[in-house]
Structures are given as C-alpha cells and as structure tokens.
Amino acid sequence: MGRLDRLGLDGPIIAADATPFSAAFHLADRGVVVPRQDDPTFADAHYNLGNAHQRVGEYQEAVRCYTQAIKLNPKMASAYASLGNAYFLQGKFPEAAKQLEQSVAVNPNNAYAAFWLHLARQKTGGNANTEL
C-alpha cells in the first residue's frame, strides 16, 4: 500500500472528483508534472503537494515542496506558514519561528501564522508575546 492509498487516491482520478489537492498528489506520485514553470499556478502546485505530504506525516517532503513554492512566489504567506508548521511538527522550533515570522511579515493578518509563531517562540524559550 502506497502513501496515496492512505488518502484514498489509489484509483484513477476523473474530472468529477479531481480537486487541485488530490490531482496534484495523484499525478506527482506517478512522476507527472502538470503545470509548466511559466504557469502562475506552479507555486500553488508545490504548495498543494506540500500540504498532501504534511497530511500523511511526510514532513521532509512537505518542507521541500513549501520551499520550492516560496522560491517561485516569495510573497506566498501561506507557504511560509505551512513551512513553519512542518518544522514545528518536527521539533525544529527555531526554524519554525523564522518561517512563521516571514509569513506574518508578508501578511500581518495571518492569524494561523501568528498562533503557530507564538507556540514556536514558547518552545524556543523566546518571548512569545514579542510584537508581531
């Protein structure tokens, strides 16, 4: 049983049930790259694939995907936040705080990133109440 089977994506994907999340993971697992690099959704594809890896506990793969999404779109606050979360879940709290700080810098209204940043700062012994 492969990692796709755990997500219920072991069969063929048809248009009716293809979400960006399921389609990206399903095709990437088979070595198929759907978007071209000049496609503006290419960063989104890496981000969605990172979400799929994180969902099944493959944090290193998630980190790789989120990092690539950030390279392609440095203003993608959600990718920084998810990268920080992936580091946090691995116990890499200083790395998590750094990425979460970047997410908040890009989007100061990102409550998700602010919450995880607070937790990461607590874990590193830093001041969790530092101004964002």
Side-chain angles (χ1 to χ4, degrees), residues 39-130:
D39 185 330
T41 63
F42 200 63
D44 292 337
H46 283 284
Y47 174 75
N48 289 335
L49 187 56
N51 287 340
H53 283 295
Q54 186 153 311
R55 184 172 177 188
V56 295
E58 297 172 353
Y59 303 120
Q60 285 298 98
E61 284 299 308
V63 165
R64 185 183 59 76
C65 292
Y66 294 139
T67 301
Q68 186 62 27
I70 291 166
K71 276 186 196 175
L72 295 168
N73 182 359
K75 301 234 183 252
M76 186 182 241
S78 58
Y80 289 107
S82 295
L83 178 56
N85 186 254
Y87 281 134
F88 187 95
L89 293 170
Q90 293 177 79
K92 298 177 179 180
F93 305 117
E95 293 93 335
K98 179 181 175 186
Q99 297 306 320
L100 292 161
E101 286 169 358
Q102 186 63 34
S103 180
V104 172
V106 171
N107 179 3
N109 297 319
N110 189 337
Y112 173 86
F115 170 77
W116 283 100
L117 176 56
H118 176 81
L119 295 178
R121 286 178 174 164
Q122 282 182 327
K123 293 287 189 179
T124 59
N127 184 356
N129 296 319
T130 302

